Amino acid sequence: MDCYYVFIVSSPRRGTLRTGLTCDLPHRLERLRGETSAARPGAATRLVYYEVDLDAEAATRRARQIRHWSRDRRERLVDSMNPQRDDLCTRW
């Protein structure tokens, strides 16, 4: 059974919040870090929030929903799971 991840990555200084959707979160983050590390050193690469869904359509709707939220609302969502804004990639 496939899992779908809705995730938010942040830049190091609480700058940009990018929302994404993937079925392979570790691989997607590895690619994201590889793509941006040389080109943009301060780019959003820290995983600060994620949620898992088994339904692709539901995950897609959720990612779209979060993308349309205000920055303040996305920050509250991140703070509900990760108030310290730790990089959650270290858990793997």
Side-chain angles (χ1 to χ4, degrees), residues 26-64:
H27 181 259
R28 179 64 184 113
L29 292 169
E30 182 180 310
R31 270 190 44 216
L32 181 63
R33 289 177 177 183
E35 292 169 359
T36 58
S37 62
R40 297 179 303 175
T45 58
R46 295 170 48 89
L47 178 65
V48 293
Y49 176 85
Y50 69 94
E51 55 189 60
V52 182
D53 203 319
L54 298 177
D55 180 18
E57 290 180 29
T60 301
R61 282 192 306 271
R62 179 67 170 158
R64 285 182 184 154

